Amino acid sequence: MASLRHHPCLLLLLLLAALLFSHLVAGLAATGPGDIAVYWGRHKDEGTLREACDTGAYTTVIISFLSAFGHGTYTLDLSGHPVAGVGDDIKYCQSKGVLVLLSIGGQGGEYWLPSSQSAADVADYLWNAFLAGGGAGVPRPFGDAQVNGVDFFIDQGATEHYDELARRLYGYNKYYRGGGITLAATPRCAYPDNRLAAALATGLFNRIHVRMFGGDLQCEWGQFDSWNKWAAAYPGSRVFVGVVASPEADKDAYLFQKDLYYGILQFAEKLPNYGGLMIWDRYYDKKNHYISSS
């Protein structure tokens, strides 16, 4: 086999290819393409909310989860994080331009909406406990800090009345002079997700985080095809590619950065409603440095 030194053009091409790939990986690791959302609150060892925002890697942090609602009982499960101080961290993150959402639902917990009245009650609770409300003697776990919106991570239970919850929350926008409540949904990647179909049909969701993980074979066989169905179905929403930050989180769904780019992002980035990446989660990202460096 001839030595590369006798083929300077080939050597140059190889060097350029290596340089381009290194820039691709370095750029993705540093900031990621588009906005970067990360779930926070699932592991005590992930560090504080403030520390997550101080990385500079994330444009959105999603506090997870309000894991019980719909039956008169509300539970905020932050996996051992002390709630005291989270409110100050929320305001700190927002001062750095980071959007902060509260996610409701999750995997486990006790939540459902048995009636239209329960949907109204949950919306009112969210408004008074976490958004710009504060009346009716409802305790505010984060004090006077206000999250920017609500994420629907509905992974179990009945499917009814989430559309009514979304409409009720959206109705509170009349009390905002500027901006308003961001509504997000985080469905499974197989389209459609029946638990969220009625809610998404309202057209009120600013963003959709499509989970390209969780044991869904349709995602494993055709990641971009699955994601593209979501993007095509909701052209008025910003649609995010949701990935796990470590094989420890889901080894079958984990995508190395080059696989993420060549399998999904090079196509997704060209669509007008591509939003960015959703990272599951801060703990795994901190361990594996998938997006953040700290």
Side-chain angles (χ1 to χ4, degrees):
M1 182 177 178
S3 171
L4 286 176
R5 65 186 178 186
H6 298 305
H7 299 276
C9 291
L10 178 58
L11 179 59
L12 179 61
L13 286 173
L14 289 173
L15 289 172
L16 285 173
L19 182 62
L20 286 171
F21 179 73
S22 68
H23 277 298
L24 165 67
V25 173
L28 183 58
T31 59
D35 287 339
I36 305 296
V38 68
Y39 275 83
W40 176 90
R42 302 319 309 139
H43 300 267
K44 187 176 181 180
D45 294 335
E46 68 196 333
T48 66
L49 184 63
R50 180 181 294 249
E51 289 169 347
C53 293
D54 270 339
T55 65
Y58 315 118
T59 56
T60 302
V61 177
I62 307 171
I63 299 173
S64 54
F65 291 106
L66 183 73
S67 62
F69 58 83
H71 44 86
T73 299
Y74 300 95
T75 301
L76 180 65
D77 176 12
L78 300 184
S79 301
H81 285 286
V83 175
V86 173
D88 288 339
D89 286 0
I90 289 173
K91 290 187 281 188
Y92 176 79
C93 292
Q94 291 167 335
S95 74
K96 295 175 70 69
V98 178
L99 196 75
V100 181
L101 306 180
L102 173 69
S103 189
I104 64 171
Q107 298 157 330
E110 296 182 359
Y111 59 88
W112 63 88
L113 296 176
S115 65
S116 296
Q117 185 59 53
S118 67
D121 290 344
V122 171
D124 293 348
Y125 171 77
L126 290 168
W127 169 252
N128 286 305
F130 299 102
L131 293 161
V138 177
R140 293 185 64 88
F142 304 144
D144 62 353
Q146 302 174 22
V147 297
N148 297 101
V150 178
D151 169 57
F152 287 42
F153 192 120
I154 308 304
D155 213 38
Q156 64 186 45
T159 64
E160 293 86 358
H161 308 296
Y162 285 103
D163 55 333
E164 297 169 71
L165 175 59
R167 289 191 182 94
R168 182 87 170 198
L169 285 171
Y170 185 81
Y172 278 117
N173 281 322
K174 63 186 177 183
Y175 296 112
Y176 289 86
R177 291 183 179 178
I181 299 170
T182 296
L183 291 181
T186 303
R188 293 173 178 265
C189 85
Y191 177 83
D193 184 329
N194 291 328
R195 289 190 172 89
L196 287 168
L200 289 169
T202 64
L204 301 177
F205 285 78
N206 310 81
R207 47 199 289 166
I208 299 171
H209 313 126
V210 182
R211 283 182 276 161
M212 313 299 293
F213 53 89
D216 193 329
L217 291 179
Q218 179 177 332
C219 290
E220 294 175 16
W221 292 340
Q223 292 104 334
F224 176 70
D225 290 341
S226 297
W227 184 88
N228 191 43
K229 289 179 181 178
W230 285 101
Y234 301 102
S237 301
R238 298 178 65 222
V239 184
F240 287 66
V241 177
V243 296
V244 292
S246 168
E248 184 182 345
D250 186 335
K251 62 183 177 69
D252 294 325
Y254 179 72
L255 293 171
F256 289 100
Q257 291 170 344
K258 63 180 179 64
D259 299 321
L260 175 62
Y261 179 79
Y262 289 112
I264 303 177
L265 291 188
Q266 67 168 328
F267 308 108
E269 288 174 331
K270 298 174 183 177
L271 299 182
N273 61 331
Y274 167 74
L277 292 178
M278 178 274 280
I279 307 298
W280 183 272
D281 54 15
R282 169 60 184 156
Y283 171 76
Y284 293 115
D285 191 24
K286 184 178 180 180
K287 286 186 68 176
N288 195 39
H289 307 301
Y290 192 73
I291 293 294
S292 71
S293 59
S294 60

